[in-house]
Amino acid sequence: MLALKMLWRSWRGGQLGLIFAALVLAVAVVTSVALLAERVERALVSESSVFLAADLVIRSSKPANPEWLQRAAEEGVRTARTVSFASMTYQGDEMHLASVKAVESGYPLRGTLKRSQIPFATEAADIESVSYGPAPGELWVDSRLLPLLSIELGDAIELGDGSFKVSQILIEEPDSGSSFSSMLGARILMNWQDLDQAGVIQPGSRVTYRLLLADGEGFASYVDWLKQQLSIHERVITPDEAQASIASTMDRGRRFLLLAGSIGVVLAGIALALASHHFASGQILQVALLKSWGTSASRVRSLYLQQIILLGTIGSLIGLFVGWSFHQLLISVVREWLPIALPTAGPRPWITGMATGMLCLAGFTLPALWHLPAQSPLAVLRRDTPIKAFNAIVRGFLGVLAVALLLVWYSNNVILALAILLGFALTAASSIGVGLLLLRLGKTYGHWMGSIWRLALSNLWRRKKPSLIQMVGFSGAIALLMIMVVVRTSLIDEWRWQLADDSPNHFIVNVAAYELDGVKQLIDDRKLETAGWYSMVRGRITQLKDLPPEDVVAEGHESLRREINLSWTRDLPEGNSIVDGQWWDDSVPSNSDSQNSDSQSSNLAPVSLEVDIAAELGLKLGDKIRFSVGGLEFDAVITSTRSLNWDNMTPNFYFLFPEGYLEEYPRTHMTSLYVPAEEKLLVNDLLRHYPTLQVVELDKIIDRIRTIVSQVTRGLEMMTLLILGCGILVMFAAVSLSMEERLKESAILRTLGSSRRLILGVQWVEFSTLGLMAGLLAALGAEFAVAMLQRFMFQQEFVWHPWLWLVGPLVGGLLVGILGVAYSRKAVTQPPLQVLNSL
Amino acid sequence: MIEVNQISKQVETSEGSLRILDNINLSVQNGETLAIVGASGSGKSTLLGILAGLDLPSSGSVSINGEDITAMDEEGRAAVRAGHVGFVFQSFHLLPGLTALENVALPLELQGVADALRTAEHYLERVGLAARVGHYPRQLSGGEQQRVALARAFACRPTILFADEPTGNLDTGTGGKINDLLFALNEEEGTTLVLVTHEKTLAARCSRTLELQGGRQLDAANTNTAGRGA
Ligand SMILES: Nc1ncnc2c1ncn2[C@@H]1O[C@H](COP(=O)(O)OP(=O)(O)O)[C@@H](O)[C@H]1O
Ligand SMILES: [Mg+2]
């Protein structure tokens, strides 16, 4: 096969080195990024299943229909039932209203329970992970239940009608959830079979049943079937909903991985474009000869097409292997940061890698060679130096098309692809336009500078075409790296609070006015600080839309069954945003002026509802709600709905009023504070002194969030490093583009007796000038792309990044200058003839 | 046989239109040797390119073996070249990545000749480079490189060989040897030779001479009375 022979000879002759390296690199980077991203993504998904202890949960106030369980068993779907409720526990004189959960033996379907024989254990060595719950007759309990009931491990306590042995300390349950109501009272985990003996669940008692579901061949079809059986009493909970507090972190983490991978794709494209350019220049003579011997243009093309297909296949396969090894290496390096065992990847990363190789060759290498046979062989053969006349516009278009296709396929995200492409196009276009101008200016005013500068700047101008191509390569690579670093930095900044060691992890709710000083004193005694106190009143909903609530919400709703917190504020709380309607501004009269007038009864209080609760209660703007607070009733009208921010652990209120409507009712107080593990007994002190307090413990959840966020952060860092390395390699390819000619010229200068200083000086000035201009133009493109990404993809505020405009040119100049000089050192360290002969 | 009928070549430059060749007529019989002579810039290479079908005249026609190549499309001209034409260039134009042997073998391989490498080796032997087959062009002197180029041109057994100042880049001694080799091979293979040169002595070894001056034919292609030397 002639094509194979030609390819082998080109390889042996060294002409394929750059393009092959670029191809392998491109495929390797994309494959490793895609593999890593997919595995991390899958790990994140399975991590979120852990939050549910299942892949899907059906929550209900009623027990699960036996038919569902039977069908699940038939379909091979694993199930486990749990039920949670509040119940009094006793031991001697002590008692505590505990938050009990009874679990079937399959529980947890996902994730593990952490238990210990030592109360308040924090050392990993003392904690054991198990994938089953307590045996019948046993209880696993929260550490703080022991001092609350004055018991030791192994003692028996009374729960309902039964007496059970406390056999283990429960350190962590996977599905501890983030809903406040589930966190009141010390947790007790018991076996489902003991429910009857305890007799705690009576008709009418407030309990929550959960049916946990996971895997099995028929999982998907079973879930489809099950969803049709559900009534309004049941609610389906997906892993994403189970972790609202970190969902957006995860989501942005994923988007960043996608961004990094896409940038890898584009960098790979640039590398291949540069290498193809280099390769095509080297083929001009051969094509001219083939043509002079009477080989038809179509035959020449077919010969090259075959070579490219061969090259693409071999290079891509090697690239896949290198990419795989590289991602293994990365994983092994950061193993300790990735405690979750990474699931294996599907076929998609491999396809992506292979497609990158083939499409980039088709988009860059093929067009670079395609027109060669159309060139007059005479023009080539008669001149001693091969000419380079390419249809840059068509080629650029084809290349961009290839990268665009890859980007869209890779990211499945048009905005991302568009931002990157537009940012890059802006950089490239300005590189050509502004670059030409700057080069011209440099040449014109270089005359006034020293000989090195004069020579260097006029060289750049003389070689303006390759100089511009290099500049597009440099600026493109720098811009893409900037985009990534900026987005990474802003994301990590945003997550900083989640990583902060002292963000609030406990809420103290329902503190009566007369208790306030005492509670503050207890907190002070332990030298802890609160995040400030909030006031609220407790009330009930007695009418919806002038009807009894039962008539509106047939099934009833949590907020209708118990007292709810009503609060007031003038300004929209930070992190809340209006979904519908209008926030009251200063023009809305507060109630205080008209309080005592006759019009009070007709004066409806405006109220702002959390958007989900409004939907669950079937309410919309303008609907009326009647509240009862301390026996007094008043009506309110919904003027706005809000979405809350669950990312930060500040108090969130479902019902908010303007100032002046609630102040005269008896109020209670709440706060949030950070309680370190060693001060955890504060919770017991508080509850013992003030039994009506509610303490919401979020410390375990926050620890989990912190772990996950730091894992995601590490993942991003790893990716950033990988892509940075890739970017530097692209710049290396760009530097080597003009090296042959430069070395030749340097060797000739050397034969003429030029000093090392002059030769390297010229190279330094040329390259650092190119790098400096590239860095400047890259800042422009990066700023634009980042603005687009932050606006449309990460939902962040647009901010200028002045440092880009400084760091870009500086780093660009230094990096490119150093690379260039390092590359051209050969010209001064070896005798000129050796240099010339080696070219 | 090459038949040239009133060809002219005009190119557009930034300074206006430039006439490189002006109304050239000539015919070359099979087995003949024709020298095209003239000062540098007189249009020799341009004429050679047109004769070989690598370029088109602005007007007039060229036919090779009775086929009008100026009326053909690119593919047609390529087919004619593939069947009949060989080249030797002033600057050798060996592919730097290929060994001497592979350089010679490449056009044979393109033609699908079965034992391309053996044929190539044979021709390298004939130009006296049997010992250098595995060497790359950069390891060969200029004269040796041009001998490889000669081997490459003759290995395809062309009926017409076009040579554009084949010794222009070589010193007189080496050049002389290359010329001897060229004429010897030409004799043995019975090839029609069109040779561009600015050396009168070399032109004298050809059966006929065409002299160009500023793109014009000085006189009709003369039969060389000095005859074919040696
Ligand atoms: N494409 C072209 N554009 C402009 N001028 C050309 C072109 N090709 C050849 N010439 C000019 O035509 C003249 C003849 O060139 P050439 O045939 O190479 O001469 P010779 O081979 O006799 O030295 C030269 O002056 C050359 O500069
Ligand atoms: Mg010439």
Side-chain angles (χ1 to χ4, degrees), chain A residues 246-268:
Chain A
I246 57 161
S248 83
T249 304
M250 297 280 211
D251 193 44
R252 287 176 183 200
R254 279 178 206 154
R255 281 162 193 245
F256 182 82
L257 281 184
L258 209 57
L259 174 69
S262 306
I263 286 177
V265 170
V266 181
L267 282 174

PDB file of all heavy atoms in Angstrom, chain A residues 246-268:
ATOM      1  N   ILE A 246     -26.520  21.344  48.387  1.00  0.00           N
ATOM      2  CA  ILE A 246     -25.295  21.261  47.598  1.00  0.00           C
ATOM      3  C   ILE A 246     -25.579  21.059  46.117  1.00  0.00           C
ATOM      4  O   ILE A 246     -24.661  20.962  45.317  1.00  0.00           O
ATOM      5  CB  ILE A 246     -24.354  20.145  48.086  1.00  0.00           C
ATOM      6  CG1 ILE A 246     -25.078  18.826  48.072  1.00  0.00           C
ATOM      7  CG2 ILE A 246     -23.770  20.449  49.430  1.00  0.00           C
ATOM      8  CD1 ILE A 246     -24.109  17.672  48.091  1.00  0.00           C
ATOM      9  N   ALA A 247     -26.860  21.036  45.775  1.00  0.00           N
ATOM     10  CA  ALA A 247     -27.193  20.775  44.375  1.00  0.00           C
ATOM     11  C   ALA A 247     -26.519  21.775  43.457  1.00  0.00           C
ATOM     12  O   ALA A 247     -25.974  21.416  42.423  1.00  0.00           O
ATOM     13  CB  ALA A 247     -28.695  20.805  44.186  1.00  0.00           C
ATOM     14  N   SER A 248     -26.526  23.047  43.857  1.00  0.00           N
ATOM     15  CA  SER A 248     -25.983  24.033  42.926  1.00  0.00           C
ATOM     16  C   SER A 248     -24.463  23.945  42.876  1.00  0.00           C
ATOM     17  O   SER A 248     -23.855  24.179  41.847  1.00  0.00           O
ATOM     18  CB  SER A 248     -26.463  25.435  43.293  1.00  0.00           C
ATOM     19  OG  SER A 248     -25.668  25.963  44.303  1.00  0.00           O
ATOM     20  N   THR A 249     -23.858  23.570  43.989  1.00  0.00           N
ATOM     21  CA  THR A 249     -22.411  23.340  43.982  1.00  0.00           C
ATOM     22  C   THR A 249     -22.062  22.241  42.998  1.00  0.00           C
ATOM     23  O   THR A 249     -21.173  22.370  42.162  1.00  0.00           O
ATOM     24  CB  THR A 249     -21.927  22.920  45.376  1.00  0.00           C
ATOM     25  OG1 THR A 249     -22.306  23.910  46.301  1.00  0.00           O
ATOM     26  CG2 THR A 249     -20.420  22.754  45.386  1.00  0.00           C
ATOM     27  N   MET A 250     -22.787  21.145  43.127  1.00  0.00           N
ATOM     28  CA  MET A 250     -22.557  20.004  42.252  1.00  0.00           C
ATOM     29  C   MET A 250     -22.754  20.401  40.802  1.00  0.00           C
ATOM     30  O   MET A 250     -21.970  20.063  39.928  1.00  0.00           O
ATOM     31  CB  MET A 250     -23.576  18.905  42.556  1.00  0.00           C
ATOM     32  CG  MET A 250     -23.440  18.375  43.931  1.00  0.00           C
ATOM     33  SD  MET A 250     -22.100  17.196  43.971  1.00  0.00           S
ATOM     34  CE  MET A 250     -22.698  16.132  45.227  1.00  0.00           C
ATOM     35  N   ASP A 251     -23.850  21.135  40.586  1.00  0.00           N
ATOM     36  CA  ASP A 251     -24.201  21.496  39.227  1.00  0.00           C
ATOM     37  C   ASP A 251     -23.110  22.360  38.613  1.00  0.00           C
ATOM     38  O   ASP A 251     -22.687  22.151  37.484  1.00  0.00           O
ATOM     39  CB  ASP A 251     -25.529  22.242  39.258  1.00  0.00           C
ATOM     40  CG  ASP A 251     -26.098  22.354  37.875  1.00  0.00           C
ATOM     41  OD1 ASP A 251     -26.054  21.330  37.169  1.00  0.00           O
ATOM     42  OD2 ASP A 251     -26.536  23.450  37.501  1.00  0.00           O
ATOM     43  N   ARG A 252     -22.636  23.319  39.390  1.00  0.00           N
ATOM     44  CA  ARG A 252     -21.580  24.181  38.862  1.00  0.00           C
ATOM     45  C   ARG A 252     -20.285  23.424  38.701  1.00  0.00           C
ATOM     46  O   ARG A 252     -19.515  23.688  37.789  1.00  0.00           O
ATOM     47  CB  ARG A 252     -21.380  25.365  39.767  1.00  0.00           C
ATOM     48  CG  ARG A 252     -22.519  26.330  39.615  1.00  0.00           C
ATOM     49  CD  ARG A 252     -22.350  27.427  40.579  1.00  0.00           C
ATOM     50  NE  ARG A 252     -23.472  28.334  40.496  1.00  0.00           N
ATOM     51  CZ  ARG A 252     -23.399  29.562  40.938  1.00  0.00           C
ATOM     52  NH1 ARG A 252     -22.288  30.010  41.456  1.00  0.00           N
ATOM     53  NH2 ARG A 252     -24.439  30.345  40.844  1.00  0.00           N
ATOM     54  N   GLY A 253     -20.038  22.492  39.613  1.00  0.00           N
ATOM     55  CA  GLY A 253     -18.854  21.645  39.482  1.00  0.00           C
ATOM     56  C   GLY A 253     -18.892  20.903  38.166  1.00  0.00           C
ATOM     57  O   GLY A 253     -17.913  20.868  37.418  1.00  0.00           O
ATOM     58  N   ARG A 254     -20.049  20.355  37.857  1.00  0.00           N
ATOM     59  CA  ARG A 254     -20.210  19.644  36.590  1.00  0.00           C
ATOM     60  C   ARG A 254     -19.980  20.579  35.420  1.00  0.00           C
ATOM     61  O   ARG A 254     -19.311  20.243  34.451  1.00  0.00           O
ATOM     62  CB  ARG A 254     -21.629  19.103  36.471  1.00  0.00           C
ATOM     63  CG  ARG A 254     -21.804  17.832  37.212  1.00  0.00           C
ATOM     64  CD  ARG A 254     -23.239  17.395  37.075  1.00  0.00           C
ATOM     65  NE  ARG A 254     -23.559  16.584  38.225  1.00  0.00           N
ATOM     66  CZ  ARG A 254     -24.775  16.432  38.709  1.00  0.00           C
ATOM     67  NH1 ARG A 254     -25.787  17.040  38.147  1.00  0.00           N
ATOM     68  NH2 ARG A 254     -24.977  15.670  39.745  1.00  0.00           N
ATOM     69  N   ARG A 255     -20.568  21.755  35.507  1.00  0.00           N
ATOM     70  CA  ARG A 255     -20.408  22.696  34.395  1.00  0.00           C
ATOM     71  C   ARG A 255     -18.959  23.085  34.210  1.00  0.00           C
ATOM     72  O   ARG A 255     -18.490  23.266  33.100  1.00  0.00           O
ATOM     73  CB  ARG A 255     -21.253  23.945  34.637  1.00  0.00           C
ATOM     74  CG  ARG A 255     -22.684  23.705  34.299  1.00  0.00           C
ATOM     75  CD  ARG A 255     -23.575  24.753  34.925  1.00  0.00           C
ATOM     76  NE  ARG A 255     -24.945  24.324  34.832  1.00  0.00           N
ATOM     77  CZ  ARG A 255     -25.853  24.973  34.103  1.00  0.00           C
ATOM     78  NH1 ARG A 255     -25.517  26.051  33.458  1.00  0.00           N
ATOM     79  NH2 ARG A 255     -27.082  24.525  34.040  1.00  0.00           N
ATOM     80  N   PHE A 256     -18.258  23.195  35.318  1.00  0.00           N
ATOM     81  CA  PHE A 256     -16.847  23.544  35.191  1.00  0.00           C
ATOM     82  C   PHE A 256     -16.068  22.422  34.522  1.00  0.00           C
ATOM     83  O   PHE A 256     -15.231  22.667  33.661  1.00  0.00           O
ATOM     84  CB  PHE A 256     -16.230  23.867  36.554  1.00  0.00           C
ATOM     85  CG  PHE A 256     -14.794  24.270  36.424  1.00  0.00           C
ATOM     86  CD1 PHE A 256     -14.473  25.565  36.083  1.00  0.00           C
ATOM     87  CD2 PHE A 256     -13.783  23.347  36.574  1.00  0.00           C
ATOM     88  CE1 PHE A 256     -13.154  25.940  35.920  1.00  0.00           C
ATOM     89  CE2 PHE A 256     -12.463  23.709  36.408  1.00  0.00           C
ATOM     90  CZ  PHE A 256     -12.153  25.014  36.084  1.00  0.00           C
ATOM     91  N   LEU A 257     -16.360  21.191  34.920  1.00  0.00           N
ATOM     92  CA  LEU A 257     -15.694  20.064  34.285  1.00  0.00           C
ATOM     93  C   LEU A 257     -15.925  20.115  32.781  1.00  0.00           C
ATOM     94  O   LEU A 257     -15.029  19.896  31.979  1.00  0.00           O
ATOM     95  CB  LEU A 257     -16.237  18.737  34.824  1.00  0.00           C
ATOM     96  CG  LEU A 257     -15.719  18.282  36.177  1.00  0.00           C
ATOM     97  CD1 LEU A 257     -16.277  16.917  36.510  1.00  0.00           C
ATOM     98  CD2 LEU A 257     -14.215  18.241  36.193  1.00  0.00           C
ATOM     99  N   LEU A 258     -17.157  20.438  32.440  1.00  0.00           N
ATOM    100  CA  LEU A 258     -17.530  20.528  31.041  1.00  0.00           C
ATOM    101  C   LEU A 258     -16.736  21.633  30.354  1.00  0.00           C
ATOM    102  O   LEU A 258     -16.205  21.455  29.251  1.00  0.00           O
ATOM    103  CB  LEU A 258     -19.017  20.860  30.984  1.00  0.00           C
ATOM    104  CG  LEU A 258     -19.766  20.373  29.781  1.00  0.00           C
ATOM    105  CD1 LEU A 258     -19.607  18.873  29.662  1.00  0.00           C
ATOM    106  CD2 LEU A 258     -21.224  20.737  29.940  1.00  0.00           C
ATOM    107  N   LEU A 259     -16.652  22.766  31.029  1.00  0.00           N
ATOM    108  CA  LEU A 259     -15.905  23.896  30.476  1.00  0.00           C
ATOM    109  C   LEU A 259     -14.449  23.511  30.268  1.00  0.00           C
ATOM    110  O   LEU A 259     -13.875  23.737  29.201  1.00  0.00           O
ATOM    111  CB  LEU A 259     -16.002  25.084  31.431  1.00  0.00           C
ATOM    112  CG  LEU A 259     -15.148  26.296  31.070  1.00  0.00           C
ATOM    113  CD1 LEU A 259     -15.689  26.955  29.818  1.00  0.00           C
ATOM    114  CD2 LEU A 259     -15.103  27.290  32.203  1.00  0.00           C
ATOM    115  N   ALA A 260     -13.861  22.891  31.284  1.00  0.00           N
ATOM    116  CA  ALA A 260     -12.447  22.521  31.192  1.00  0.00           C
ATOM    117  C   ALA A 260     -12.244  21.550  30.045  1.00  0.00           C
ATOM    118  O   ALA A 260     -11.316  21.689  29.248  1.00  0.00           O
ATOM    119  CB  ALA A 260     -11.983  21.908  32.512  1.00  0.00           C
ATOM    120  N   GLY A 261     -13.140  20.570  29.955  1.00  0.00           N
ATOM    121  CA  GLY A 261     -13.019  19.595  28.870  1.00  0.00           C
ATOM    122  C   GLY A 261     -13.153  20.263  27.520  1.00  0.00           C
ATOM    123  O   GLY A 261     -12.393  19.979  26.586  1.00  0.00           O
ATOM    124  N   SER A 262     -14.096  21.195  27.408  1.00  0.00           N
ATOM    125  CA  SER A 262     -14.301  21.874  26.133  1.00  0.00           C
ATOM    126  C   SER A 262     -13.075  22.689  25.766  1.00  0.00           C
ATOM    127  O   SER A 262     -12.677  22.750  24.599  1.00  0.00           O
ATOM    128  CB  SER A 262     -15.507  22.801  26.209  1.00  0.00           C
ATOM    129  OG  SER A 262     -16.619  22.075  26.654  1.00  0.00           O
ATOM    130  N   ILE A 263     -12.490  23.322  26.772  1.00  0.00           N
ATOM    131  CA  ILE A 263     -11.284  24.090  26.502  1.00  0.00           C
ATOM    132  C   ILE A 263     -10.177  23.159  26.042  1.00  0.00           C
ATOM    133  O   ILE A 263      -9.418  23.477  25.121  1.00  0.00           O
ATOM    134  CB  ILE A 263     -10.891  24.913  27.742  1.00  0.00           C
ATOM    135  CG1 ILE A 263     -11.870  26.073  27.868  1.00  0.00           C
ATOM    136  CG2 ILE A 263      -9.466  25.402  27.642  1.00  0.00           C
ATOM    137  CD1 ILE A 263     -11.669  26.935  29.064  1.00  0.00           C
ATOM    138  N   GLY A 264     -10.129  21.974  26.654  1.00  0.00           N
ATOM    139  CA  GLY A 264      -9.168  20.972  26.190  1.00  0.00           C
ATOM    140  C   GLY A 264      -9.392  20.644  24.725  1.00  0.00           C
ATOM    141  O   GLY A 264      -8.446  20.555  23.942  1.00  0.00           O
ATOM    142  N   VAL A 265     -10.665  20.513  24.337  1.00  0.00           N
ATOM    143  CA  VAL A 265     -10.987  20.204  22.939  1.00  0.00           C
ATOM    144  C   VAL A 265     -10.462  21.304  22.022  1.00  0.00           C
ATOM    145  O   VAL A 265      -9.822  21.040  21.002  1.00  0.00           O
ATOM    146  CB  VAL A 265     -12.513  20.049  22.761  1.00  0.00           C
ATOM    147  CG1 VAL A 265     -12.870  19.972  21.293  1.00  0.00           C
ATOM    148  CG2 VAL A 265     -13.002  18.812  23.485  1.00  0.00           C
ATOM    149  N   VAL A 266     -10.718  22.562  22.404  1.00  0.00           N
ATOM    150  CA  VAL A 266     -10.297  23.659  21.528  1.00  0.00           C
ATOM    151  C   VAL A 266      -8.775  23.773  21.472  1.00  0.00           C
ATOM    152  O   VAL A 266      -8.188  23.974  20.406  1.00  0.00           O
ATOM    153  CB  VAL A 266     -10.921  24.992  21.988  1.00  0.00           C
ATOM    154  CG1 VAL A 266     -10.505  26.103  21.061  1.00  0.00           C
ATOM    155  CG2 VAL A 266     -12.427  24.871  22.014  1.00  0.00           C
ATOM    156  N   LEU A 267      -8.140  23.604  22.624  1.00  0.00           N
ATOM    157  CA  LEU A 267      -6.672  23.644  22.633  1.00  0.00           C
ATOM    158  C   LEU A 267      -6.123  22.559  21.725  1.00  0.00           C
ATOM    159  O   LEU A 267      -5.178  22.791  20.956  1.00  0.00           O
ATOM    160  CB  LEU A 267      -6.150  23.446  24.054  1.00  0.00           C
ATOM    161  CG  LEU A 267      -6.221  24.660  24.967  1.00  0.00           C
ATOM    162  CD1 LEU A 267      -5.817  24.288  26.378  1.00  0.00           C
ATOM    163  CD2 LEU A 267      -5.321  25.766  24.452  1.00  0.00           C
ATOM    164  N   ALA A 268      -6.720  21.383  21.818  1.00  0.00           N
ATOM    165  CA  ALA A 268      -6.287  20.284  20.964  1.00  0.00           C
ATOM    166  C   ALA A 268      -6.438  20.687  19.503  1.00  0.00           C
ATOM    167  O   ALA A 268      -5.562  20.424  18.674  1.00  0.00           O
ATOM    168  CB  ALA A 268      -7.115  19.049  21.265  1.00  0.00           C
TER     169      ALA A 268
END
